Amino acid sequence: MTVLRPHAEDQYSEELALLAKDDDRPRPPGWRLSPWAVTTYVLGDGDRVTPKYIGPRRIVEVAVATLATDRALLLLGVPGTAKTWLSEHLAAAVSGDSTLLVQGTAGTAEEAVRYGWNYARLLAEGPSLDALTPSPVMRAMAEGRIARVEELTRMPSDVQDALITVLSEKTLPIPELNREVQAERGFNVIATANDRDRGVNELSSALRRRFNTVVLPVPATAEEEVDIVARRVAQLGRSLELPETATGLEEIRRVVTVFRELRMGVTEDGRTKLKSPSGTLSTAEAISVLTSGIALAAHFGDGVLRPADVAAGIVGAVVQEPVSDRVVWREYLETVVRERSDWRDFYRACREAT
């Protein structure tokens, strides 16, 4: 493939076809795979199917079971907990199409959820089906697929509430044409929301009742987070065709340790309390720091990932607020990093980057 980031259903088409071939379990109406096969696709089988999400199995099972009912699914969590990643793979496995996406922003209009108009045809012909421009949600309803709504809480309240009739009645009225679109079997909605940065508007109680909420946690242990970061860094390196770089687990573990300690406000051994910076220091940011470091090592270094290659990325991730975060970072460097004898190169590199 020549595209920078293939859709999940394209990148993992062989795995989806393999699961579909061997899947003899009951499938809900409109689903490409059974709930059991969808869960296997997401979590992997340890052999032919690679894991897409690393976390508690029960969380994925609850999410998949929700989609098999008439309840919509809301994936809630702090930034970097793979909400978007999981929603994409769930949509790809359930309906074979993860592209029916509404991106929530403060400027998202109601047409993004309901429908719009081709105004040239509207003026020339008046309201008609040919002049109507369906939203991703309307297309998902008509085709019996999964619609995805990203950053739901960033959308204005009136736009959020446009989903209420869709989720409760499974219809989308078109009063201009005196007709409606009824959802085909297989239709559902996966929404994501951030529970740290609350966004622009909280969900109304009426809308929240239409969702089954699944909270995605941060990785429970350092080893689990190291595993996630190592897998994603390797995948990104291959997709970006970065030159081969000697990426030892030592640097990955060090970046993860820094992020976890500052995120939790205490050192790994529990002996020293720390101030936390304003940023989230998510797993996704750790992946970004290490991918950037690999690019530096490959193109401007000796092909081996070293502390100097990741130092600038770490400083940029930690110091979001120039004044307060810089104080937190310097204190962490001097009281924690400096005291670790096997982190001396890392300490010097971070001091220079700072």
Side-chain angles (χ1 to χ4, degrees), residues 200-217:
V200 178
N201 294 288
E202 289 297 315
L203 299 183
S204 66
S205 58
L207 182 56
R208 188 176 286 274
R209 287 196 302 270
R210 269 71 180 182
F211 284 100
N212 187 29
T213 301
V214 173
V215 179
L216 299 187

Side-chain angles (χ1 to χ4, degrees), residues 17-64:
L18 180 68
L19 285 167
K21 179 181 177 182
D22 298 336
D23 188 12
D24 58 358
R25 297 175 184 246
R27 304 182 188 185
W31 282 40
R32 298 290 186 90
L33 299 172
S34 68
W36 177 87
V38 172
T39 303
T40 302
Y41 166 76
V42 172
L43 295 174
D45 64 357
D47 183 17
R48 297 177 297 176
V49 180
T50 59
K52 319 303 181 302
Y53 174 77
I54 298 175
R57 181 179 184 87
R58 197 60 176 172
I59 285 179
V60 177
E61 290 175 343
V62 170
V64 173

Side-chain angles (χ1 to χ4, degrees), residues 307-353:
D309 299 318
V310 299
I314 286 183
V315 174
V318 174
V319 183
Q320 300 288 323
E321 294 288 339
V323 178
S324 59
D325 288 348
R326 191 171 295 275
V327 172
V328 171
W329 176 239
R330 286 187 179 276
E331 183 177 311
Y332 178 74
L333 275 181
E334 300 302 326
T335 60
V336 178
V337 177
R338 186 179 182 180
E339 300 303 316
R340 292 172 174 166
S341 58
D342 55 339
W343 284 34
R344 287 173 183 168
D345 290 345
F346 180 73
Y347 171 75
R348 285 192 293 268
C350 290
R351 286 276 298 181
E352 290 176 6

Side-chain angles (χ1 to χ4, degrees), residues 95 97-102 111-115 132-147 166 172 181-184 186-188:
S95 58
D97 186 358
S98 64
T99 65
L100 298 174
L101 173 68
V102 177
E111 288 81 0
V113 174
R114 300 178 73 240
Y115 53 86
L132 186 141
T133 303
S135 70
V137 175
M138 178 182 278
R139 287 180 54 203
M141 294 176 71
E143 298 170 12
R145 298 181 185 273
I146 299 291
V166 170
L172 182 55
V181 174
Q182 291 185 296
E184 295 289 324
F187 166 74
N188 213 327

Side-chain angles (χ1 to χ4, degrees), residues 55-126:
R57 181 179 184 87
R58 197 60 176 172
I59 285 179
V60 177
E61 290 175 343
V62 170
V64 173
T66 296
L67 294 175
T69 69
D70 63 347
R71 298 270 290 179
L73 173 64
L74 175 62
L75 299 177
L76 189 68
V78 299
T81 48
K83 300 183 296 296
T84 299
W85 181 253
L86 180 57
S87 75
E88 178 185 357
H89 284 286
L90 287 172
V94 170
S95 58
D97 186 358
S98 64
T99 65
L100 298 174
L101 173 68
V102 177
Q103 179 60 58
T105 69
T108 299
E110 191 173 337
E111 288 81 0
V113 174
R114 300 178 73 240
Y115 53 86
W117 297 98
N118 179 327
Y119 287 103
R121 300 196 68 163
L122 182 65
L123 291 173
E125 305 170 5

